Amino acid sequence: MAATKGLVFAMLLIAFAFVLLVESAQMAITTQVDSPLPGEIDCGEACDARCQLSSRQKICKRACGTCCARCQCVPPGTSGNYDVCPCYANMTTHGGRHKCP
């Protein structure tokens, strides 16, 4: 009789552990699904900052806006820093020059 009680207790303990494991896995999946997606950046604001020192701001902002719309990123600063946004850095014109300012 004592062995039967011990077996029942062990089975209940295993069932409880299994339920906890399933619930924690379900919470992890729910947390991953509910996490917000990276938001789209404000290309106008980012390109304004990028082109603020350009001598040809309209052209700079137009090119920057096209690149930003495609890549969803604009490197920080007014020039350089292409390593932060490889997509932005790798876009070229038909002539092989950098498209993005």
Side-chain angles (χ1 to χ4, degrees):
M1 190 68 161
T4 306
K5 284 183 180 179
L7 185 61
V8 169
F9 180 75
M11 295 289 276
L12 284 172
L13 190 60
I14 290 172
F16 181 73
F18 180 76
V19 168
L20 284 176
L21 181 65
V22 169
E23 283 184 6
S24 67
Q26 185 65 32
M27 282 185 75
I29 291 170
T30 302
T31 303
Q32 290 173 356
V33 170
D34 291 341
S35 65
L37 296 174
E40 292 185 12
I41 66 169
D42 181 3
C43 289
E45 186 176 311
C47 289
D48 283 345
R50 182 78 175 172
C51 296
Q52 69 185 358
L53 298 180
S54 174
S55 62
R56 300 170 69 185
Q57 287 198 1
K58 286 186 180 182
I59 292 172
C60 180
K61 288 177 185 177
R62 185 175 65 213
C64 178
T66 300
C67 297
C68 178
R70 290 181 188 168
C71 298
Q72 284 301 304
C73 65
V74 174
T78 55
S79 66
N81 300 317
Y82 288 117
D83 56 323
V84 176
C85 187
C87 169
Y88 192 94
N90 294 331
M91 273 194 204
T92 56
T93 63
H94 293 291
R97 298 178 65 193
H98 281 291
K99 176 177 184 67
C100 307

